[in-house]
């Protein structure tokens, strides 16, 4: 549990986080079908630092191919079958940068991927405050913690949905099996009594 003193500072930290960070960020969780490639595009100015974080949170072996290209299609980053990675780069030209995820190596398993793309610079809240101050570092830790908790939440939700689906299928299978067994028992008992009745009639005659 957090101490009362720390909880009392939480609203201030959140307020300072909103005022201190002048970073453009986009978080996205998306489905990547098998044998498919999905790309995202961002128009960036020169000398802008961007940060890409991605993680496969569901599907198969939890891996995808990922590559990043600049406006001239030069490959800046290219990794295969990665479960999680982070890539930081400072642009050398203005134009549209491309981030692609590929699941083309998988023939039947779709993946669920989380992506966090951020670019821009942190603007100081007060004159003299730099990116190395304790407050700035605390805010970075808070932002990273929020990202980690969102990832865990998405991963746990997907696992819960998968477990629910398996339980539902198992229950349906059990219901069908019990229905078949019940019909079989009724037919067996019916045939048994029919044979017994036929034998009694033959003996009387």
């Amino acid at each position: 549990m957090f101490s009362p003193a720390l909880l009392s500072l939480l609203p201030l930290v959140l307020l300072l986080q909103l005022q201190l960070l002048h970073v453009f960020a986009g978080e996205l969780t998306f489905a990547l079908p098998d044998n498919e490639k999905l790309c995202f595009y961002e128009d960036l100015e020169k000398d802008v630092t961007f940060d890409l974080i991605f993680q496969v949170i569901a599907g198969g072996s939890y891996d995808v191919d990922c590559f990043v290209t600049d406006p001239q299609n030069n490959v800046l980053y290219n990794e295969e079958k990665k479960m999680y990675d982070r890539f930081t780069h400072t642009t050398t030209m203005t134009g549209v940068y491309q981030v692609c995820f590929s699941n083309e190596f998988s023939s039947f398993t779709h993946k669920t991927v989380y992506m966090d793309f951020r670019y821009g610079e942190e603007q100081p809240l007060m004159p003299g405050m730099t990116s190395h101050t304790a407050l700035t570092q605390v805010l970075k830790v808070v932002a990273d913690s929020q990202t980690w908790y969102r990832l865990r939440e998405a991963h746990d939700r997907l696992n819960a949905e998968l477990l629910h689906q398996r339980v539902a299928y198992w229950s349906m299978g059990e219901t069908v099996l019990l229905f078949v067994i019940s019909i079989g028992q009724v037919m067996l008992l019916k045939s048994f009594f029919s044979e017994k009745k036929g034998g009694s009639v033959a003996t009387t005659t």
Side-chain angles (χ1 to χ4, degrees):
M1 297 294 294
F2 296 106
S3 64
L6 183 59
L7 290 175
S8 65
L9 291 176
L10 185 59
L12 176 60
V13 172
L14 294 176
L15 177 61
L16 292 177
Q17 182 182 9
L18 292 174
Q19 294 180 340
L20 179 65
L21 299 180
H22 189 64
V23 177
F24 297 93
E27 292 181 276
L28 181 64
T29 301
F30 58 93
L32 184 61
D34 52 279
N35 293 313
E36 292 289 339
K37 180 175 70 174
L38 188 60
C39 295
F40 302 89
Y41 304 89
E42 189 67 45
D43 192 0
L44 300 175
E45 299 293 331
K46 183 181 178 182
D47 297 326
V48 172
T49 299
F50 67 82
D51 191 22
L52 169 67
I53 303 173
F54 70 90
Q55 180 174 349
V56 183
I57 59 177
S61 300
Y62 294 85
D63 55 354
V64 293
D65 297 340
C66 179
F67 65 88
V68 181
T69 60
D70 66 11
Q72 295 182 353
N73 288 325
N74 298 314
V75 178
L76 306 176
Y77 170 88
N78 186 18
E79 292 291 339
E80 296 182 352
K81 296 186 177 181
K82 298 288 288 186
M83 177 181 178
Y84 168 88
D85 207 1
R86 182 170 190 165
F87 174 66
T88 302
H89 178 74
T90 301
T91 61
T92 58
M93 64 185 74
T94 299
V96 177
Y97 287 76
Q98 179 180 232
V99 179
C100 291
F101 297 91
S102 174
N103 193 29
E104 293 174 316
F105 59 86
S106 178
S107 58
F108 58 88
T109 305
H110 73 276
K111 310 291 174 61
T112 302
V113 183
Y114 166 85
M115 180 187 70
D116 183 7
F117 187 85
R118 306 182 183 188
Y119 66 92
E121 298 294 334
E122 298 175 354
Q123 301 297 324
L125 180 63
M126 297 176 292
M129 180 179 290
T130 67
S131 61
H132 301 288
T133 60
L135 180 58
T136 303
Q137 299 303 318
V138 168
L139 294 179
K140 288 182 178 179
V141 171
V142 171
D144 290 341
S145 298
Q146 290 174 341
T147 299
W148 185 84
Y149 284 122
R150 282 193 291 268
L151 278 174
R152 292 305 308 171
E153 179 185 5
H155 184 269
D156 292 342
R157 184 180 66 252
L158 289 171
N159 285 340
E161 291 176 353
L162 180 60
L163 180 60
H164 175 74
Q165 187 178 35
R166 289 178 177 176
V167 170
Y169 287 152
W170 180 262
S171 299
M172 291 172 60
E174 284 187 330
T175 302
V176 172
L177 182 60
L178 289 173
F179 185 71
V180 171
I181 292 175
S182 299
I183 293 178
Q185 289 178 338
V186 170
M187 293 179 66
L188 180 62
L189 290 173
K190 184 178 180 180
S191 64
F192 175 76
F193 284 113
S194 297
E195 291 176 0
K196 187 175 180 180
K197 183 178 179 181
S200 300
V201 172
T203 301
T204 304
T205 304

